[in-house]
Amino acid sequence: MKKFLLFFLPCALLLLSGCGALTLPSSRQIDEWEVADLLAVDFDGEKATFTTIIRADKEEDRSVYQGAGDTFEQALESLQDVCPKRLLLEHLRFVLFGEEVEAQDAARCLEALLRQGDVRLSASVYQTQGKAAPYVEDSTVETLSGIMDEEQAEKKQPAATVVEVLRGSYQGTPAELNVVKERETVEAP
Amino acid sequence: MYFLHKTSKNNPKEFQLRGENALSYDEKNIPPHPPSKPEIPLPLTSDSLREVFAGSGDFLQHTVYVMGREDLKLHLFALDGMVNTANLIQGIMRPLTSNPVLKDTRDFQDLLSRVLHGGVYSFEVKLREKADDAALDLISGSCVLVFDELQRAVTFETKGFDFRGVSEPGGENVLKGSREGFIENIRMNTALLRRRIKSPNLVLEQFVVGRETKTTVAVAYLREFTNADLVQVVRDRVQSMDVDGVLSATVLEEALIEKPRPLFPTLLNTERVNKFCSGLLAGRVGLLVDGLPLGYLLPVGLSQHLKSEEDYGFHPVLGSFLTLMRYACFLISILLPGFFVAVVNFHPEMIPVELTLSLISSRAEVPFPMFLELLTMLLAFEVLLEAGVQLPREIGQAVSIVGGLILGSAAVEARIVSPIVVIVVAMTGVAGFVLPSQDLAGALRIWRLALTILGGVGGLFGLSIGGIALIFKLCGTESYGVPYLYPFVVSGSPKRILESVARLPTQDVKFRDPQLHPQNKRRRK
C-alpha cells in the first residue's frame, strides 16, 4: 500500500497540477486545436504550397494559413509553423488540388496527410482549374459545397473521396485520378 | 498532539479514566473473545437476579403471596417499558392471587406445575432453570416469576413495547404495487411475510446473534423450493458470527459475504415486502434482522440489482424497455465521464465537426484543463449527494438550491467550468439515479471516478484497461456460488439472458433459475 501510494501520489500531483501536457504529449486541451476545414494543395514542380482555412463560428473569424516546402511533408510542417495553435486536419471536408498536381502526387500528398493523423477517408477530393489556393481563400465550406453540388448534379456522379484517390494510386492506374480530374473540375467563382 | 492535551497534572481534580496503557493496545496480547456462557455463575434465585440488575432504573420487582398465603411467597420481576403493565396485572398477578385453580396448593412443587399448566393466563410460559436464561427472557420483555425454594423460575411472555407502524418504504418508491415496507420489529416483519406467503412451506429459522445485543436473525426460505445446501451455508455463516453487537447492516453483511468483500453488492437488500417474497418464491434465501427495516436476499448477481419489481407491474413491452434503459444507464453512469475526457483530450478527431467547434467555443475562457474540471465537478457532485443525505429534511432544500445555482449556472457564467462538463456530470449522475439498488450505485460511484482518472491519463487506451479490469473483477465475483455476471457468463442460454435484460410475459417464465439449483424447478403450469 505504501509503495503504491509512493508511486501514485507523485503521478497524480504531476497530472492534476496541469503538468499533464508535459508528461503526456498526446493529451491536449480541445481549445488548443485549430480545426481545419479546407485544404488546397498546389505544386509547381519544385515547391508544394499548402493553404488551409480554419473554421470558426463567425465568417470574419475564419483565418487562412499558408505554408510551402520542397516536399509535401515540409509544406505541411511549415503550415503548422505559421498556425499559432495545433492544426487539427482530421476534420477536413474538402481537399482541393491545383491543376498542375499529377495523380500520383495527389495520392502521395494524401498519404503524407494520413501519416500525420487521421484525415477522414470520406473527405471529398477535387481538382481545380488553375491554382487551388484562390478557391480556398475566397470561399467557405458552404459556398464551395454549393458549387460542388451543382457540378455533381450536372454530371450525376458523386465526388471522389480520399480513399478512392488512394486506392487509385495503390492500384497504379493514374487513369482513375484523371477521371476524377475530368469530372471534378470546377469553374472559378 | 498529545502535548496540547491538558493533562491532569495541571488540574489534579479533573476526572481521569483509570487503566493501564490507555493510549494504545498491544493487540497481540489481548486474549481472544472469552467463551460466552455462563454469564451469570449464580443459582436462579431472586437475590441473584437483583444482583445482576442492581443499578438499573427500569428494573421492576414485586413480591406476591399466592392466594394470600404467606408460606407461598414468589418474586415477580420485569423491565419497565419492555412489558405491557396491563397484561402483567390482568394475566399474571390477578390469577396468582385469585385463580381458584391455585386453591389448596400443597407446596412449591405443586404450585410450579399448576402455574405451568394454565394457573396463570399467559400463552407463552417457559420453565427456566438457569439464571442466564431467565435474565435473557427478562431482557426480551418477559416477566419472570422466581421460585426461590426450587431455584427455578417461570417466564411469561408479556411484551409490550412500542414500535413504528408498517409504512411506505422510505428508500424505495412504489408506483404500482404494495406499499408495505419492513419495519424495525422482526416479529411484525415475519408476520408480513406470513401474510404474503400463506404456506407451511415458508420456514423462518431464528438465531440469536451478538453477545450483548442478542439480536434475532431470521433465515427465511421455502422448504421444498430452496436448495438445502444453500440454506445450510447461510445457517452456518449466521451461526458462526461472534461479535458483541449486531446493530448496523454492515456487521451482518460482512459476515455473510465472502472475503475479500467485493465493491459490487452480492447481497440484495430491500425494504419492500413484495420484492422480498418474490425473491423467496424464486428460490432465494432471505434474511431478516431485528432492528433493521430491511430484508436481505441471496444469492444475487448484477442482473437482480438492475431489475425492479415495478417492471412486473407494467406491460411486458414497457417493462422490457425500462429494464433495457436501466442497463444502458448503468453503462452511461460508469463510462460516460471517462469516455468523454478520453475522447476530448486524446481523440478530437472522433467528435463530429460541429460538436468539436461548439466544445471549443464553450471552453473559450475556462482556465482549467478539462480533466481537472471534470474531476472537480464529479467530486462536487458526490459532495452534494452526501450533503443531501446527511442534512435534515427541513434544511435539505438548501443543498439543492445552493448546489444547483452555484455549481450549475453560476460556475458556468463565471467561466470556471464549461457547460458541457456540467452536462456530462449531470447526465452521469441522473443515469446513476435510475438504478434501483443504492449499493450498486455506490459501487458505480467509485468505479466511475477510477475510470475517469484512467481515461484522463491514458485516453481510450487507459479507459480500455480500466474496463478490462472491471470485467475481470466482476467475472471473478461470486455470490454463494452463483457467478456475479450470470446469466451473461456461464449460462450459455439466450433465453436466460433475455429474461434478464427484458421483462418476459409471466407465462413464458415457467422455470426457476437453474443456477439457484432449486428443489422445485417449475414455477407455473
Side-chain angles (χ1 to χ4, degrees):
Chain A
M1 189 65 197
K2 226 176 201 173
K3 269 183 196 164
F4 171 73
L5 280 181
L6 275 178
F7 169 75
F8 183 74
L9 282 182
C11 291
L13 279 178
L14 207 60
L15 295 174
L16 293 181
S17 58
C19 301
L22 296 177
T23 49
L24 307 162
S26 57
S27 163
R28 214 168 278 280
Q29 294 308 309
I30 190 140
D31 47 339
E32 290 168 15
W33 292 99
E34 287 277 28
V35 182
D37 223 9
L38 306 171
L39 183 71
V41 185
D42 289 311
F43 190 47
D44 61 2
E46 286 180 10
K47 272 207 180 277
T49 319
F50 276 39
T51 312
T52 188
I53 184 158
I54 302 300
R55 239 200 197 192
D57 286 342
K58 288 180 209 143
E59 193 67 36
E60 56 268 28
D61 290 345
R62 282 167 190 276
S63 37
V64 179
Y65 297 105
Q66 203 158 46
D70 291 339
T71 62
F72 289 125
E73 286 82 0
Q74 282 179 8
L76 205 57
E77 250 176 57
S78 73
L79 187 64
Q80 177 64 73
D81 287 344
V82 291
C83 181
K85 290 182 179 177
R86 184 96 188 149
L87 261 182
L88 187 67
L89 291 172
E90 278 87 343
H91 287 309
L92 277 181
R93 290 265 305 275
F94 291 103
V95 182
L96 305 184
F97 287 105
E99 197 173 11
E100 66 290 341
V101 181
E102 301 277 324
Q104 300 98 313
D105 289 337
R108 258 186 43 225
C109 171
L110 288 180
E111 259 198 81
L113 277 176
L114 271 172
R115 279 174 204 285
Q116 66 83 44
D118 295 322
V119 174
R120 294 213 169 151
L121 294 180
S122 59
S124 307
V125 181
Y126 290 94
Q127 190 145 38
T128 58
Q129 287 183 335
K131 295 263 178 199
Y135 286 86
V136 166
E137 280 158 13
D138 299 342
S139 51
T140 62
V141 167
E142 285 74 31
T143 56
L144 207 55
S145 60
I147 299 168
M148 308 287 178
D149 285 347
E150 275 174 30
E151 284 285 315
Q152 280 152 36
E154 270 176 32
K155 291 183 182 145
K156 299 195 173 75
Q157 267 178 318
T161 57
V162 171
V163 68
E164 282 167 356
V165 175
L166 282 174
R167 205 182 289 143
S169 82
Y170 289 145
Q171 286 165 354
T173 50
E176 219 167 295
L177 190 64
N178 288 337
V179 176
V180 173
K181 183 176 176 178
E182 264 177 13
R183 76 164 193 241
E184 303 305 340
T185 304
V186 285
E187 298 296 325
Chain B
M1 287 293 123
Y2 186 69
F3 62 92
L4 288 177
H5 182 73
K6 205 160 104 183
T7 54
S8 54
K9 250 185 225 169
N10 304 339
N11 187 355
K13 277 179 205 160
E14 198 177 319
F15 167 77
Q16 201 183 12
L17 281 174
R18 275 187 302 260
E20 78 314 335
N21 196 11
L23 284 176
S24 66
Y25 288 131
D26 183 8
E27 288 182 14
K28 276 175 200 149
N29 289 338
I30 293 183
H33 230 156
S36 57
K37 284 206 167 181
E39 281 172 9
I40 308 167
L42 295 170
L44 178 45
T45 60
S46 57
D47 287 335
S48 40
L49 278 182
R50 278 195 198 97
E51 194 185 320
V52 170
F53 288 96
S56 294
D58 57 350
F59 184 61
L60 301 178
Q61 40 184 318
H62 198 79
T63 308
V64 188
Y65 293 125
V66 177
M67 301 303 282
R69 285 165 58 180
E70 284 185 33
D71 58 323
L72 291 179
K73 190 168 126 187
L74 298 180
H75 300 274
L76 190 61
F77 300 104
L79 290 181
D80 198 8
M82 293 295 287
V83 294
N84 184 328
T85 323
N87 278 357
L88 186 63
I89 293 169
Q90 286 297 324
I92 316 291
M93 287 177 65
R94 181 186 281 264
L96 276 179
T97 49
S98 59
N99 191 351
V101 174
L102 300 179
K103 223 172 180 183
D104 309 324
T105 312
R106 289 186 302 279
D107 53 3
F108 279 104
Q109 197 63 49
D110 187 27
L111 178 64
L112 178 64
S113 82
R114 287 184 193 210
V115 164
L116 282 174
H117 299 101
V120 168
Y121 308 146
S122 175
F123 191 76
E124 218 181 312
V125 184
K126 287 180 197 147
L127 175 66
R128 294 301 192 195
E129 295 178 359
K130 282 182 195 150
D132 268 350
D133 297 333
L136 186 58
D137 282 351
L138 189 61
I139 291 162
S140 324
S142 299
C143 69
V144 181
L145 191 64
V146 182
F147 293 70
D148 272 344
E149 283 71 9
L150 304 173
Q151 296 206 345
R152 283 180 183 187
V154 182
T155 63
F156 309 98
E157 169 90 30
T158 45
K159 254 178 217 168
F161 46 84
D162 286 334
F163 48 82
R164 191 164 66 94
V166 176
S167 58
E168 210 169 318
E172 288 161 82
N173 283 338
V174 187
L175 273 180
K176 193 176 170 188
S178 156
R179 274 160 219 276
E180 275 181 337
F182 285 123
I183 58 164
E184 284 81 357
N185 185 320
I186 192 171
R187 194 44 66 230
M188 194 65 224
N189 290 346
T190 55
L192 287 171
L193 285 192
R194 289 271 183 213
R195 263 159 50 188
R196 289 277 184 316
I197 305 177
K198 296 187 188 72
S199 155
N201 269 335
L202 174 62
V203 185
L204 291 160
E205 283 182 27
Q206 274 189 205
F207 302 93
V208 175
V209 176
R211 289 188 171 201
E212 305 302 319
T213 55
K214 307 268 192 254
T215 311
T216 311
V217 174
V219 176
Y221 59 93
L222 292 171
R223 189 184 287 118
E224 279 161 25
F225 291 59
T226 314
N227 186 295
D229 294 339
L230 177 64
V231 177
Q232 188 56 44
V233 173
V234 177
R235 212 180 274 142
D236 289 347
R237 289 201 185 165
V238 171
Q239 278 175 326
S240 67
M241 282 175 74
D242 189 7
V243 288
D244 281 345
V246 183
L247 293 176
S248 63
T250 3
V251 178
L252 186 81
E253 280 172 23
E254 276 169 17
L256 287 172
I257 295 173
E258 298 89 342
K259 281 177 199 69
R261 186 183 177 179
L263 198 52
F264 278 81
T266 50
L267 287 178
L268 183 78
N269 66 61
T270 178
E271 289 179 56
R272 297 181 54 187
V273 185
N274 259 20
K275 193 172 180 180
F276 191 80
C277 288
S278 68
L280 294 187
L281 284 178
R284 299 201 153 76
V285 176
L287 268 137
L288 293 170
V289 188
D290 197 21
L292 284 179
L294 291 175
Y296 287 98
L297 283 174
L298 53 92
V300 289
L302 187 65
S303 61
Q304 274 75 44
H305 284 283
L306 287 167
K307 278 251 164 187
S308 163
E309 201 59 20
E310 287 287 282
D311 296 345
Y312 292 90
F314 297 126
H315 190 275
V317 173
L318 178 60
S320 304
F321 168 70
L322 291 176
T323 313
L324 277 173
M325 197 184 68
R326 227 169 277 129
Y327 272 90
C329 284
F330 171 76
L331 289 179
I332 288 177
S333 178
I334 200 164
L335 287 177
L336 183 67
F339 182 74
F340 175 75
V341 74
V343 165
V344 168
N345 274 7
F346 289 83
H347 316 281
E349 68 275 6
M350 281 180 68
I351 318 171
V353 188
E354 302 299 331
L355 186 57
T356 319
L357 292 175
S358 76
L359 272 177
I360 290 176
S361 64
S362 77
R363 270 197 52 85
E365 290 164 42
V366 179
F368 307 110
M370 184 162 266
F371 177 37
L372 190 62
E373 214 182 316
L374 190 69
L375 217 52
T376 318
M377 284 301 283
L378 275 180
L379 289 174
F381 176 73
E382 298 294 326
V383 169
L384 266 185
L385 214 61
E386 186 58 18
V389 172
Q390 297 296 343
L391 264 185
R393 204 165 294 164
E394 290 75 30
I395 46 174
Q397 281 187 334
V399 177
S400 58
I401 294 171
V402 170
L405 271 180
I406 292 186
L407 283 178
S409 48
V412 169
E413 273 172 35
R415 294 281 182 187
I416 291 172
V417 289
S418 45
I420 186 86
V421 168
V422 177
I423 293 171
V424 165
V425 171
M427 269 174 72
T428 311
V430 172
F433 292 152
V434 168
L435 305 177
S437 156
Q438 285 309 308
D439 286 346
L440 181 65
L444 282 200
R445 281 155 73 181
I446 304 292
W447 270 98
R448 176 196 301 159
L449 272 180
L451 290 184
T452 309
I453 291 173
L454 282 173
V457 170
L460 285 184
F461 174 71
L463 191 67
S464 314
I465 293 207
I468 291 168
L470 175 64
I471 292 173
F472 183 78
K473 199 85 192 139
L474 284 181
C475 284
T477 305
E478 271 190 4
S479 170
Y480 287 81
V482 178
Y484 198 63
L485 288 184
Y486 178 86
F488 306 110
V489 296
V490 181
S491 81
S493 134
K495 181 96 193 286
R496 291 275 139 214
I497 296 179
L498 197 63
E499 264 174 38
S500 297
V501 299
R503 196 289 240 183
L504 296 183
T506 43
Q507 56 266 44
D508 289 354
V509 186
K510 288 192 174 142
F511 303 101
R512 296 199 160 75
D513 202 334
Q515 198 64 29
L516 298 172
H517 302 291
Q519 296 181 36
N520 184 341
K521 293 173 178 62
R522 189 175 273 279
R523 63 192 304 172
R524 64 176 295 142
K525 204 177 134 194

